[in-house]
Amino acid sequence: MHVTHDPAAPAAETIEFDQFLAVDIRIGTIVVAEPFPEARKPAFKLLIDFGPAIGRKRSSAQITEHYALEQLPGLQVVAVVNFPPRQIGKFMSEVLTLGFPDAEGKVVLFHPSQSVPNGGRLF
């Protein structure tokens, strides 16, 4: 499967609703954001609190173009929490933080327009 970031690309193939339900997308609050100078592409290391059922998980996010480290703690973000962990250099990324490309392809984080409880699942 090829994923494109081109806003002019057609919609992906039709899937069954059960396939969507298999992807566990949750809301969490960034509690720690750190530099990640070892990453091949500019990125930050994030520690995100997804509430008591899931806990705190780590993520590498290529969000350095639009966000400064000091503005990230306290920000709610959306992430896929049921992909296998992925080794990125010496860092183990446990969740995939979600965003959309801006006009230049730089990541803009996907987050709610108002505060919601950590751990809530997207539906």
Side-chain angles (χ1 to χ4, degrees):
M1 176 175 72
H2 175 72
V3 176
T4 180
H5 300 294
D6 179 1
E13 293 180 30
T14 301
I15 63 171
E16 298 299 318
F17 190 67
D18 286 348
Q19 291 173 287
F20 168 73
L21 292 177
V23 181
D24 194 352
I25 302 171
R26 305 282 182 125
I27 189 78
T29 300
I30 298 172
V31 291
V32 177
E34 299 175 327
F36 191 6
E38 308 87 3
R40 282 185 296 144
K41 294 182 180 179
F44 293 142
K45 297 178 192 177
L46 306 177
L47 181 63
I48 306 167
D49 183 0
F50 291 98
I54 296 173
R56 291 180 173 195
K57 300 289 182 181
R58 298 179 303 166
S59 182
S60 169
Q62 296 174 4
I63 57 173
T64 59
E65 293 289 329
H66 291 296
Y67 303 92
L69 286 172
E70 60 274 4
Q71 75 183 112
L72 292 169
L75 182 67
Q76 285 196 300
V77 293
V78 178
V80 176
V81 298
N82 67 331
F83 284 153
R86 185 171 172 208
Q87 189 76 41
I88 302 173
K90 295 181 180 182
F91 184 74
M92 183 64 73
S93 187
E94 300 172 295
V95 299
L96 175 64
T97 304
L98 301 177
F100 292 95
D102 68 8
E104 285 79 43
K106 307 302 182 193
V107 179
V108 176
L109 289 169
F110 178 37
H111 59 91
S113 58
Q114 59 186 11
S115 182
V116 295
N118 286 338
R121 187 169 181 175
L122 181 74
F123 61 87

